[in-house]
Amino acid sequence: MAKILVTGGIGYIGSHTVVELQKVGFEVVVVDNLSNSNVEVLSGIEKITGIRPVFENIDCVDYVSMDRMFEKHSDIVAIIHFAASKAVGESVEKPLLYYRNNLVSLVNLLELMPIHKVQNLVFSSSCTVYGQPDVLPVTEDAPIKPALSPYGNTKQIGEEIIRDTIHSNASTKSIILRYFNPIGAHASAEIGELPNGVPNNLLPFVTQTAIGLRKELQVFGDDYNTPDGSCIRDYIHVVDLAKAHVIAVQRMLDNRTKSSVETFNLGTGRGLSVLEIIRTFEQVNGVKIPYKLVARREGDIEKVWAEPSFANNELGWKATETVEETLRSAWAWEQNYAQRSKID
Ligand code: NAD
Ligand code: WQD
């Protein structure tokens, strides 16, 4: 079966996607520099699928090593490009690290693709490109708002780099996937999210508080213009998200894309508030989350959720996991496998 390059394939979304690719018979080469992941994840993947993916410990910023990797794996037919730095706060402190890592990696791939006759690229983008949308649910043609962080800007610029490059090169195709808020873990609890240090994202903070590693969760803001005053997001099970990548790759390989660059929202279409997430997590898992309401976090969007019907209709993909099941999977992962050594 066809060979797919997955950059960042040891990370959170990448590892779940490798599993789904292997399940339908794709051969996978993972490139990851382990900057935000642990090589043990390969064993988790192997436990689930019975196949240990080929792993190349390479930095995507390193053009020469990437060139050699493509020479070695000359039968790669598509790339799913997850590799990027993703901590919003860190990107404000170290913008050049983010521009170099996220953009030079992408430019290298786009330069190397025609040289190695790889035509298909799936790119990890984010709902962050919409900022606070004027209309909800947000569709793919909503205006792109000024980025609120260097990280967010790397996704906007990354999309533009892809569009400009592909419009100049008729043989290259790309599917840009704008993720909403991925949460949860594989049902086996063999792979999941492994945040480094104090989690920035809601769900890892919730699970680490539930297990007693954190004293209490801070709910950032209770005075937003939402029914309970806390922010609203579209939380999507990471396995649902992973499955969309397999469909996107297959669509490109089957030449079913309708244009050389296609852009899809990947969300559930349902918005949930921070307080609703806490309440549902407590109910389905039978644990208490100590929390306190604190001031708003700078740069937070009040509310955003996806209009997923373009992805539903065009890709034939739909998020199917319930939020209850998703929150159960997050808790099972925390209890079984979350890595204590990485926690501050
Ligand atoms: P992650 O940090 O868990 O995974 C990223 C992986 O890429 C890590 O294993 C890291 O070691 C690797 N990596 C980073 N820079 C690299 C480089 N230069 N060369 C090789 N490997 C490198 O993050 P994730 O949550 O799985 O996110 C995957 C992608 O999805 C990223 O592009 C991210 O920006 C995007 N995204 C994530 C979210 C989210 O909430 N998790 C939302 C929207 C978009
Ligand atoms: C969700 C909600 C917080 C932590 C970020 C990036 C975005 C995307 C996903 C990649 C918000 C609240 C959180 C906590 C809280 N990543 N919260 N207490 O902010 O939607 O998006 O990750 O592209 O670009 O900006 O996700 O998980 O950080 O927050 O109250 O300790 O939970 O205020 O309302 P966010 P998040």
Side-chain angles (χ1 to χ4, degrees):
M1 185 99 174
K3 191 181 275 185
I4 314 297
L5 168 63
V6 181
T7 74
I10 295 192
Y12 175 44
I13 308 170
S15 57
H16 289 82
T17 302
V18 170
V19 165
E20 296 306 315
L21 287 166
Q22 289 181 333
K23 266 169 64 180
V24 298
F26 283 111
E27 214 179 308
V28 176
V29 176
V30 168
V31 164
D32 201 301
N33 66 355
L34 305 178
S35 56
N36 196 36
S37 50
N38 187 313
V39 74
E40 280 306 303
V41 170
L42 291 172
S43 306
I45 294 172
E46 189 177 4
K47 277 190 193 147
I48 297 169
T49 63
I51 307 162
R52 197 175 182 86
V54 173
F55 171 51
E56 302 284 358
N57 186 344
I58 295 174
D59 189 333
C60 296
V61 170
D62 177 351
Y63 182 93
V64 173
S65 299
M66 288 299 285
D67 190 26
R68 280 201 207 109
M69 187 282 307
F70 277 111
E71 261 166 36
K72 181 171 162 193
H73 301 286
S74 57
D75 48 349
I76 287 169
V77 293
I79 303 167
I80 307 180
H81 182 45
F82 291 108
S85 303
K86 65 163 182 178
V88 175
E90 186 187 48
S91 80
V92 177
E93 309 284 315
K94 301 174 186 166
L96 294 178
L97 187 152
Y98 275 68
Y99 287 115
R100 176 183 292 279
N101 200 42
N102 296 5
L103 297 180
V104 176
S105 294
L106 176 63
V107 170
N108 282 348
L109 283 177
L110 288 166
E111 283 183 346
L112 288 164
M113 284 173 71
I115 296 171
H116 294 279
K117 306 206 167 18
V118 184
Q119 295 187 331
N120 305 302
L121 176 73
V122 177
F123 178 66
S124 298
S125 189
S126 169
C127 69
T128 195
V129 302
Y130 299 120
Q132 176 60 64
D134 302 323
V135 179
L136 287 167
V138 62
T139 56
E140 288 82 354
D141 50 18
I144 301 302
K145 295 279 177 73
L148 291 171
S149 70
Y151 166 75
N153 211 17
T154 67
K155 292 299 171 190
Q156 297 193 1
I157 298 170
E159 288 196 8
E160 285 173 16
I161 290 174
I162 290 173
R163 284 191 205 98
D164 289 346
T165 308
I166 284 178
H167 290 149
S168 74
N169 177 354
S171 69
T172 307
K173 283 182 290 190
S174 180
I175 295 185
I176 294 172
L177 299 175
R178 293 179 179 154
Y179 314 152
F180 283 67
N181 289 58
I183 60 168
H186 192 266
S188 63
E190 295 288 353
I191 55 172
E193 195 169 4
L194 283 173
N196 235 330
V198 182
N200 297 308
N201 295 115
L202 178 62
L203 250 292
F205 210 106
V206 165
T207 58
Q208 289 190 9
T209 306
I211 212 160
L213 286 164
R214 310 275 163 212
K215 208 167 100 254
E216 69 185 356
L217 170 74
Q218 296 189 327
V219 174
F220 299 134
D222 66 344
D223 56 351
Y224 285 101
N225 182 25
T226 60
D228 65 21
S230 64
C231 291
I232 295 179
R233 298 286 184 275
D234 186 334
Y235 295 94
I236 176 169
H237 197 302
V238 67
V239 174
D240 274 330
L241 196 64
K243 287 177 178 164
H245 293 75
V246 181
I247 292 172
V249 162
Q250 199 60 64
R251 179 179 175 89
M252 288 193 293
L253 296 180
D254 295 346
N255 285 315
R256 283 186 283 113
T257 51
K258 304 243 166 91
S259 57
S260 50
V261 184
E262 293 185 321
T263 306
F264 295 101
N265 281 344
L266 297 181
T268 66
R270 179 183 181 201
L272 289 171
S273 73
V274 176
L275 292 172
E276 283 174 311
I277 287 285
I278 296 172
R279 218 171 300 123
T280 311
F281 186 93
E282 290 182 330
Q283 273 163 12
V284 299
N285 293 315
V287 284
K288 263 322 265 161
I289 310 292
Y291 71 87
K292 79 169 174 224
L293 305 172
V294 300
R296 294 179 178 200
R297 181 172 69 176
E298 204 190 320
D300 260 340
I301 300 299
E302 182 170 88
K303 49 191 165 200
V304 62
W305 60 95
E307 172 53 76
S309 52
F310 186 52
N312 298 163
N313 299 332
E314 267 302 316
L315 293 179
W317 165 91
K318 198 173 187 332
T320 57
E321 299 282 353
T322 63
V323 67
E324 287 80 5
E325 196 41 52
T326 309
L327 295 175
R328 264 195 287 270
S329 74
W331 181 225
W333 163 247
E334 179 66 50
Q335 287 176 293
N336 290 329
Y337 281 93
Q339 199 192 30
R340 302 293 159 253
S341 60
K342 285 181 101 182
I343 288 166
D344 284 345

